Every structure is written in C-alpha cells, then in structure tokens.
Amino acid sequence: MKMILLRKFRVLILMVFLIACSMHIMIDLLPKLERHGNSGCSCSHTPSEEPQSWGKQGWPNKHTLRILQDFSNEPSSNVSSHSLERIPATGDKTQALKRLEHPGQQLRGDRKRQFMQDAAVTKNLPVKGSRLSALYEHPLYRRALPTLTDEDTLFNVNTDIRFDPKAAEDQAWTGEGTMEEFSPTGELTADSYPNWLRFHIGINRYELYSRHNPVIDALLKDLITQRITSVAMKSGGTQLKLIMTFQNYGQALFKPMKQTREQETPPDFFYFSDFERHNAEIAAFHLDKILDFRRVPPVAGRLVNMTKEIRDVTRDKKLWRTFFISPANNVCFYGECSYYCSTEHALCGKPDQIEGSLAAFLPDLALAKRKTWRNPWRRSYHKRKKAEWEVDPDYCEEVKQTPPYDSGTRLLDIMDMTIFDFLMGNMDRHHYETFEKFGNETFIIHLDNGRGFGKHSHDEMSILVPLTQCCRVRKSTHLRLQLLAKEEYKLSMLMAESLVRDRLSPILIQPHLDAMDRRLRHVSVSCSFAALCLAKSHLSDLSNRNKGNSPRFLINKSS
C-alpha cells in the first residue's frame, strides 16, 4: 500500500513539474505568436513586445514584459512628473495597451489644445506680413561676409569630403529604397549629399551656417522625420543624453523632457544642480539666429516613441535594462549618468511618447578638430567659494593681457556669448569650443544651452559682469540690440513667431518671452555704459599718444 502511495506521489510531482515547464514555454512563445499574428499591423509597439532587433543579435530571449514588471516593483518607480500629462492611476494595463495601439486617439486632445495655444501666439503677430521676414531684410542683417578662401572653409568638398553609403556599417539601409537619392551614376556631387553633410560643408571661419541657407530648414525637417535606426547613451555629463542615428546616417543629441513649460527652477537650487531643459535647447537655437550670431547647431523638437524608437533599436544593454512600466502604466527609463539617473528621476512617457530636443551633430572630431577653452568668467561650481572675477573688479584687465584675448575678436565674442546667456538666464557656461583649423580668428560655438530659461521671474545680473568689467561690445551687436528693442522688431514677438514653427510649439510660455524684453533693456543699459567707457578709453589713448606714452589696449573694431 505504501509503495502505491509513493508511486502516486511521484507521478503527481512529475505532473506538476511538467505543467510548470509547459507554462514557462507558453509564456516565452506567446510574444512571438502575437507578433506573427499581427504581422500586417502598422501600429506602434506595445510595452509587452520583444525588441526584434535584439533577437537577431543573440540577446537574452526573455519575455520583455516580465523584465519590465520586475523593475516596476522598485520603490519610487511611479515617478511621472516628467510626463507630458499625468494619467489617472486608476486605469489598468488593458487601457494602457489600448492607448499604445491607438496613439492617434490619445494625442488628439493634446493636438487640439496645442492648436489653440499656437493660435493664441499667432494673434500677437503683425497683420502686415512677418516680423521675422522684415527683420532679415533689414540692412543690419544683410551685411556680406569677406570673400571665403580655402583657409576660411572647414572642408574642401573636392578632397576632404567623400560620402559613400556603401561604406557605412548599417547595410540594411540600402534596402529601404532611398539609395538612388545618394548614389547616382558617376561621382557623387555636393548637392546629392544628405542635409547633415551639406550643413557640415557650409561651416566657415565666420559662421556655422549662412543667413538664408535652405539646407538648415531641410535639416530641421530631417531631425523630426528621419527614421531612428540606433540609440546609445552619451558618455560623460551630469544628466542623461542620448545619441540618435538616423536612416541617412546623420546623428543628433537627444535631450528628453524633464520639466513642463510652466515649472521654474526652485529658488534653493544651485545653478550646477539645475535640470537641463529640452525646450531651452530649442529656444536657444532660435534666439541665436535672431541675434544673427548663428553659432548654435540646428535644434528641433520631436515627439519620440520610447518603445519603438529607443528601446527596440538600442544596442546599449545598460540603457535597455533601465526600462520599466510604472504603476500608472507608462513606459519609463532612466539610463546611466552622474545625476538624476535613477528610478526616482525616471523619464516617463504618455504612455510611451516623450518630448525631446534633437541637436544636429557637428563634424566628427577626426575630420574637424575642436579646441576647448575655459571660460574666463567661469563660475566656481562650489556652494561657498567664489570665482576670482566675483571678488576682483579689475579682473578684466588681466584677461585682456592673456592670449587669445589680447588680440583679435575673441573678447568681443565673449561679450556676445555673455549677452546671449543673459537673455536666456543661463549661468552654466564653464567652457566653450572653437574649430582648431581657424586658430584664434574665428567664432565661439554656443553649445549646451539646456540650463537656460529656468526662471522668468528673476534676472541674474551677475551674468553681465564680463560686459560691465571690460566695457567692450561689438558695434554690430549693439546696433542689432537697439533694433530689437523697438516695437516693430520686439524680441518677444520675433521669438514667438520663430518658435511657433517648431513641432513641439509652444516652446516657451509668455512669461519667458516677456522676460527677454525686460532683460534686453538691462543689456542696452550695459552696452551704452560700455560704449561710454570705450569712448573715454579712446580719449585717454589719444592723450597718452600726445604725451609720448604707449597707448592702452585697443580692441579690434570688428563688426
């Protein structure tokens, strides 16, 4: 009798074991069966789908949803303050999946609200034509550059640049039907190059791009329409940034949305611990263009599908492992970086759509080396210590005797950058870069502007210290600032008109636009003071010459 019971018990254990194995096999096969059954559907991927590209590369063949749910058990993983809009927590996973399958319906209300906001912005535009068009037709914006030589252009198209899609690593692109656009019979011409490469070719000693270059508008369109083929985390930096590669081999730096438009930087935050805002990067590009600097690489806003355009195409295992589904049924991830990369600061979509800025890459350092310079007016980045320029009112006199600020236009470029940062409220300008080929006689590249537009209720006057200490300003910059202070060329109106063209419009709320007008008045006062100081300096130099003394430092009167 005991033997019979023992045999029955063993058979029971074996049956339970077989049933458990069968269930695990079915769970692993279920996503594949669903994918085969829905092969004709062009809908977005749902969070439960397994990245197809990973399976091809021999990555762990596990049910993605189970892995993501394991992450959702971590504390504080339901942080959704960075979402485009909060979704009620009472919704279940079925509703979340339905939203993923029909993204058009979920965004319809957002688009309607966005249209109403855009309409409110356009009401402020002039009735007679465009303010921007009128501005760019003004004589101050039509000054021609010196004749460019081979030494003044970053690349010689005939020898330095060769674009051959066949030489690229991703051969899958050649089967997309776009090969003919870039590989006509015979040798490729510059006109047939992709827009990102044409942008690189147009860089010269004086500007990143020309005033009316149609390639820039085409490049901005590419940034929001080109298919994303791979994603990787950018090394270095305090906050998460992603490098996105497109179908046409172009690359851009993606900064995801961390704050809403209405949120201001908390008053107790230090400048070096502030969030980097995606809308600040977009607005900085437009402001730089309106000021006629043209030193910020093209930036556009894009609504990215975190499942289909990040998780499913990345080859970065470290990035992939940080994806999870929040209790609100939103797809979230946090990546790896020095600060704000944890489940407490996760980036969450709605349910998997997230805003971000895409900044076009500059030429590869192997082709065009750049030199990094320490900003003379760099802040201390310390909670208690102050920088030398904050305690020494004559600090600029030392700077003016130090290369490369003792000759040429570099000091004037620093003043331009100072004005640019003050209008944005950006205190985080510790370094800047220039193209090594052009030596010291070239412009400063205005990179990394994400900490601008943080406070519209406060004007940080310490940003203007370089201008007040040095009493120097470029004449053409001063004239353009006077022009932008006039009612017909009001800076806030020009910015509103320019920003409304971005896909994520509205980029800035009205208080930030009003703050730029207010700050422009402060800059005008400082520039007028600088002009008086310069006139006094010239009179002093003339007096020294008459007395036989050596003249004081005279800055280049470059326009």
Side-chain angles (χ1 to χ4, degrees), residues 255-300:
K255 290 189 178 182
M257 177 180 180
K258 296 185 177 72
Q259 289 183 316
T260 63
R261 308 290 195 276
E262 294 76 17
Q263 285 180 291
E264 279 195 276
T265 301
D268 293 327
F269 266 41
F270 285 97
Y271 52 88
F272 49 82
S273 59
D274 191 11
F275 287 112
E276 293 188 17
R277 288 163 285 274
H278 73 298
N279 59 320
E281 293 285 356
I282 301 169
F285 165 69
H286 290 263
L287 176 61
D288 174 83
K289 187 176 181 181
I290 289 174
L291 293 174
D292 202 39
F293 293 155
R294 287 165 284 120
R295 299 165 192 171
V296 175
V299 184

Side-chain angles (χ1 to χ4, degrees), residues 259-540:
Q259 289 183 316
T260 63
R261 308 290 195 276
E262 294 76 17
Q263 285 180 291
E264 279 195 276
T265 301
D268 293 327
F269 266 41
F270 285 97
Y271 52 88
F272 49 82
S273 59
D274 191 11
F275 287 112
E276 293 188 17
R277 288 163 285 274
H278 73 298
N279 59 320
E281 293 285 356
I282 301 169
F285 165 69
H286 290 263
L287 176 61
D288 174 83
K289 187 176 181 181
I290 289 174
L291 293 174
D292 202 39
F293 293 155
R294 287 165 284 120
R295 299 165 192 171
V296 175
V299 184
R302 178 166 177 165
L303 194 64
V304 174
N305 186 310
M306 296 165 60
T307 304
K308 184 178 179 181
E309 297 181 306
I310 299 181
R311 192 196 71 186
D312 287 2
V313 299
T314 185
R315 299 179 181 179
D316 192 332
K317 293 184 181 181
K318 293 181 179 179
L319 173 62
W320 183 80
R321 288 169 180 163
T322 64
F323 275 83
F324 63 91
I325 295 178
S326 72
N329 300 315
N330 294 322
V331 178
C332 306
F333 74 101
Y334 51 87
E336 290 187 357
C337 61
S338 301
Y339 301 102
Y340 306 125
C341 283
S342 62
T343 52
E344 290 80 6
H345 300 94
L347 303 167
C348 296
K350 194 196 78 169
D352 64 353
Q353 306 284 319
I354 188 170
E355 288 186 16
S357 63
L358 279 167
F361 263 29
L362 292 173
D364 190 274
L365 293 175
L367 299 175
K369 293 181 179 180
R370 298 194 300 272
K371 189 170 183 178
T372 301
W373 304 80
R374 181 187 174 95
N375 184 3
W377 281 270
R378 180 185 186 273
R379 297 180 183 271
S380 65
Y381 288 83
H382 193 276
K383 297 176 182 178
R384 292 176 295 275
K385 294 181 181 179
K386 289 188 175 182
E388 184 179 351
W389 58 268
E390 294 181 278
V391 296
D392 183 6
D394 297 325
Y395 175 76
C396 185
E397 295 302 320
E398 299 179 14
V399 174
K400 290 189 295 186
Q401 299 173 14
T402 306
Y405 310 102
D406 58 346
S407 62
T409 61
R410 182 63 60 83
L411 191 60
L412 293 175
D413 289 334
I414 291 289
M415 300 303 118
D416 285 347
M417 186 171 65
T418 296
I419 295 170
F420 177 62
D421 284 337
F422 179 72
L423 293 175
M424 295 190 298
N426 179 28
M427 302 171 66
D428 185 35
R429 188 71 69 181
H430 45 83
H431 288 83
Y432 64 87
E433 295 184 13
T434 60
F435 287 108
E436 193 173 285
K437 176 181 178 179
F438 303 134
N440 294 335
E441 300 296 329
T442 186
F443 61 92
I444 290 174
I445 307 172
H446 295 164
L447 296 173
D448 200 5
N449 306 295
R451 284 189 169 135
F453 298 103
K455 296 181 181 179
H456 55 73
S457 58
H458 173 71
D459 301 334
E460 184 55 49
M461 300 304 297
S462 64
I463 302 176
L464 284 179
V465 166
L467 193 62
T468 56
Q469 283 186 348
C470 296
C471 292
R472 296 290 187 272
V473 65
R474 187 177 262 111
K475 181 180 179 181
S476 60
T477 299
H478 189 199
L479 293 176
R480 282 194 297 270
L481 292 176
Q482 290 179 326
L483 182 67
L484 295 174
K486 296 182 179 179
E487 187 64 30
E488 59 268 32
Y489 298 109
K490 198 173 183 181
L491 179 58
S492 61
M493 307 296 286
L494 293 169
M495 283 291 290
E497 182 181 348
S498 184
L499 291 173
V500 79
R501 302 175 183 180
D502 192 88
R503 180 69 62 89
L504 300 182
S505 176
I507 302 300
L508 296 177
I509 59 175
Q510 190 61 41
H512 279 299
L513 298 174
D514 296 337
M516 281 191 287
D517 289 332
R518 183 179 68 244
R519 292 164 185 165
L520 181 60
R521 291 191 289 271
H522 289 304
V523 174
S524 298
V525 172
S526 297
C527 287
S528 299
F529 176 74
L532 290 175
C533 288
L534 187 61
K536 183 179 179 181
S537 174
H538 286 172
L539 291 176
S540 176

Side-chain angles (χ1 to χ4, degrees), residues 166-263:
K166 294 181 180 180
E169 294 181 1
D170 189 3
Q171 296 298 329
W173 179 73
T174 59
E176 297 290 337
T178 55
M179 188 68 178
E180 296 179 357
E181 180 181 356
F182 301 112
S183 60
T185 56
E187 187 175 352
L188 295 178
T189 61
D191 292 337
S192 64
Y193 290 161
N195 293 312
W196 61 266
L197 188 55
R198 297 172 67 187
F199 160 59
H200 292 175
I201 293 172
I203 298 174
N204 60 61
R205 182 185 297 274
Y206 307 103
E207 58 190 5
L208 277 179
Y209 56 91
S210 58
R211 291 189 181 96
H212 307 289
N213 189 351
V215 172
I216 301 304
D217 289 334
L219 178 57
L220 292 174
K221 183 178 180 181
D222 285 348
L223 291 174
I224 60 177
T225 58
Q226 278 285 324
R227 181 169 64 87
I228 299 170
T229 58
S230 68
V231 176
M233 289 187 292
K234 183 181 182 297
S235 60
T238 58
Q239 300 183 34
L240 179 66
K241 307 176 189 68
L242 301 178
I243 298 175
M244 292 187 169
T245 304
F246 301 115
Q247 180 181 353
N248 65 353
Y249 307 111
Q251 288 186 312
L253 187 66
F254 179 76
K255 290 189 178 182
M257 177 180 180
K258 296 185 177 72
Q259 289 183 316
T260 63
R261 308 290 195 276
E262 294 76 17
Q263 285 180 291

Side-chain angles (χ1 to χ4, degrees), residues 70-201:
D70 290 341
F71 278 102
S72 68
N73 293 328
E74 296 181 18
S76 304
S77 63
N78 61 337
V79 177
S80 58
S81 61
H82 308 315
S83 304
L84 301 183
E85 182 179 336
R86 289 184 180 271
I87 297 177
T90 56
D92 56 13
K93 293 187 188 299
T94 305
Q95 294 175 343
L97 294 177
K98 288 182 179 179
R99 291 195 299 267
L100 282 170
E101 293 174 357
H102 303 284
Q105 295 179 2
Q106 66 160 37
L107 295 176
R108 194 171 297 162
D110 294 340
R111 291 299 180 188
K112 184 176 180 181
R113 286 192 297 272
Q114 187 181 98
F115 176 78
M116 295 172 64
Q117 289 172 318
D118 292 348
V121 174
T122 53
K123 285 181 181 179
N124 296 327
L125 300 181
V127 179
K128 298 180 181 179
S130 164
R131 290 179 185 262
L132 274 178
S133 299
L135 178 74
Y136 294 145
E137 291 298 321
H138 193 277
L140 287 175
Y141 287 79
R142 298 183 64 86
R143 294 183 177 182
L145 294 178
T147 303
L148 298 178
T149 65
D150 289 343
E151 295 298 321
D152 296 326
T153 56
L154 190 61
F155 294 115
N156 186 324
V157 180
N158 295 327
T159 59
D160 292 344
I161 293 294
R162 295 292 185 199
F163 179 69
D164 184 10
K166 294 181 180 180
E169 294 181 1
D170 189 3
Q171 296 298 329
W173 179 73
T174 59
E176 297 290 337
T178 55
M179 188 68 178
E180 296 179 357
E181 180 181 356
F182 301 112
S183 60
T185 56
E187 187 175 352
L188 295 178
T189 61
D191 292 337
S192 64
Y193 290 161
N195 293 312
W196 61 266
L197 188 55
R198 297 172 67 187
F199 160 59
H200 292 175
I201 293 172

